[in-house]
Amino acid sequence: MPRAAPPALLLPLLGLAAAAAADCPSSTWVQFQDSCYIFLQEAIKVESIEDVRNQCTNHGADMISIHNEEENAFILDTLKNQWKDPADILLGMFFDTDDASFKWFDKSNMTFVKWSDQEDGEELVDTCAFLHTKTGDWKKGNCEVSSVEGTLCKAAIPYEKKYLSDNRILISALVIASTVILTVLGAVVWFLYKRSLDSGFTTVFSTAHQSPYNDDCVLVVAEENEYDIQFN
């Protein structure tokens, strides 16, 4: 029956799974794809959207930006199951009058929209966006909000955490694999060596030609030869 692997070899394996969960600042954050999210549930009085944004920047993040349907669905599910969702969430979006387009505060590209009230020719100055937590649709609203029931923030996982931690995991896996391989090879060599001893295997030294005389006989013969030489 094969013996269980020594616990020392298994300890690094247990750390590999934990490494992937350690990319966000703390356990109060939730990770999805390459970003971390936190919902600040404190209701605050504000004078503008910048006050709301400061809530996120104080935590090393920015207001939420959404880039695909999967991320939109993730936010809805997490709001319902974990964050005790309000009716609407203010998105980190503003209307840029210079080029007449919506932009994200975190300067990411506008690759996805989910408007429920898109109308041509509407006045969009001082317009921001809200996520309706019941339907998942976005709707437009005035940026001059007076209060919010909670602030949703998002932070990208830093390069050094995302990629260098992946490299550390890979290196750890390679070290573990090498250790296991060397251990197995050592066990095989030891097994073959013990088996050769038990089977009576003889070396070239044990099969070499042996003299029919022992050391005492050789000594006597040498003395007799010396005696004959003296009298001859």
Side-chain angles (χ1 to χ4, degrees), residues 10 100 126 159 167 190:
L10 297 179
D126 292 329
Y159 174 88
N167 290 339
W190 177 252

Side-chain angles (χ1 to χ4, degrees), residues 110-130:
M110 186 71 63
T111 57
F112 171 78
V113 296
K114 198 174 177 63
W115 298 114
S116 62
D117 54 353
Q118 183 71 40
E119 296 180 8
D120 295 331
E122 60 183 324
E123 181 60 46
L124 297 175
V125 178
D126 292 329
T127 298
C128 289
F130 296 80

Side-chain angles (χ1 to χ4, degrees), residues 223-232:
E223 290 177 350
E224 290 177 351
N225 291 338
E226 182 181 359
Y227 179 80
D228 292 339
I229 292 172
Q230 290 177 355
F231 285 94
N232 290 333

Side-chain angles (χ1 to χ4, degrees), residues 38-54:
I38 187 171
F39 182 62
L40 307 176
Q41 297 184 351
E42 179 183 4
I44 58 173
K45 297 291 184 180
V46 296
E47 295 180 358
S48 69
I49 193 173
E50 286 296 332
D51 293 336
V52 181
R53 190 182 181 197
N54 288 338

Side-chain angles (χ1 to χ4, degrees), residues 2 6 41 45 58 124 144 149 171:
Q41 297 184 351
K45 297 291 184 180
N58 289 340
L124 297 175
E144 301 300 322
E149 298 180 18
I171 292 173

